[in-house]
Amino acid sequence: MNPLYKIGSVAALMLFYLVCLLSIFMLASNIGYIWYPNSAFTASLGAFDPLYTYFELHFDTTPVVYTEPSFRWLSFASEATMTVFALLFLWFLHQLLKNIHHAGLFTESNVTVLFRFGLTVSILGTAFGYMDSRLSSAAITALDVRNGSIEFTSLYHLDMLFGGIVLLIIASALKTAVRAVEENKKTI
């Protein structure tokens, strides 16, 4: 089979382990900011600065919204969902490329991987997109805009939902193709 599938599979697995390591740091820093905001560890991290998908916000002084526990919990939930989504995405990509490399595309195991891939994108991708937009909206309210206004609308979570549905449709089509290939092998 094509060696690009093997290279892609190995790259996805390496990224999976890298994201695992980064997620441990993310988990520790969020726990520090939520439960131990005055600890030496949290002080070594600097001021709380949440992760936004589409933009960066820099404030001269820490806004009040950043100190609210509900905002920090939302930031933690958003980052945790993003991390789990990224890990599952990379794992399923690794599995799919490995299966294609070893056995080809038309296998029942690829149907299962694509189905799980679609569910992951539909559920976790949508949840992450929605939480990220809520986090971004809450942070934008802390901006002091003069002579204008900012409105933030994000439908990113709908993109993920529809992307997951498309993957589920592709998995269903692949299942039909796998049955046809297996039936073709039996008749020959």
Side-chain angles (χ1 to χ4, degrees):
M1 290 288 164
N2 192 336
L4 287 178
Y5 295 122
K6 182 170 178 85
I7 293 168
S9 174
V10 170
L13 190 60
M14 289 171 48
L15 285 172
F16 173 84
Y17 289 120
L18 178 65
V19 171
C20 280
L21 289 173
L22 292 174
S23 67
I24 292 169
F25 176 74
M26 181 275 309
L27 179 66
S29 66
N30 275 290
I31 287 172
Y33 284 122
I34 292 171
W35 284 301
Y36 308 105
N38 299 322
S39 69
F41 172 70
T42 307
S44 70
L45 297 174
F48 175 72
D49 191 19
L51 180 66
Y52 303 104
T53 302
Y54 291 111
F55 53 83
E56 288 185 30
L57 284 178
H58 302 285
F59 293 98
D60 295 332
T61 59
T62 303
V64 174
V65 71
Y66 278 20
T67 61
E68 294 174 0
S70 62
F71 185 82
R72 289 185 179 191
W73 273 105
L74 182 60
S75 175
F76 174 64
S78 177
E79 288 183 28
T81 306
M82 174 190 62
T83 302
V84 172
F85 172 66
L87 287 171
L88 288 174
F89 181 91
L90 291 168
W91 182 254
F92 292 140
L93 183 62
H94 160 71
Q95 290 293 314
L96 182 66
L97 294 173
K98 184 178 80 170
N99 289 345
I100 292 172
H101 176 70
H102 289 297
L105 177 63
F106 299 104
T107 63
E108 194 63 40
S109 59
N110 284 342
V111 172
T112 303
V113 170
L114 270 179
F115 184 75
R116 289 177 181 167
F117 211 167
L119 286 177
T120 299
V121 171
S122 293
I123 296 168
L124 289 175
T126 302
F128 164 65
Y130 183 75
M131 281 190 271
D132 184 62
S133 67
R134 296 284 44 109
L135 187 70
S136 300
S137 294
I140 285 175
T141 61
L143 292 174
D144 183 21
V145 178
R146 300 168 199 269
N147 195 22
S149 65
I150 296 176
E151 290 185 28
F152 178 76
T153 304
S154 173
L155 299 177
Y156 170 68
H157 58 282
L158 294 178
D159 292 346
M160 297 302 272
L161 177 64
F162 292 131
I165 290 170
V166 167
L167 282 172
L168 292 171
I169 291 169
I170 291 170
S172 178
L174 184 62
K175 186 174 187 173
T176 303
V178 166
R179 284 188 198 144
V181 167
E182 287 176 0
E183 194 167 311
N184 191 26
K185 286 180 184 177
K186 290 177 185 176
T187 58
I188 293 178

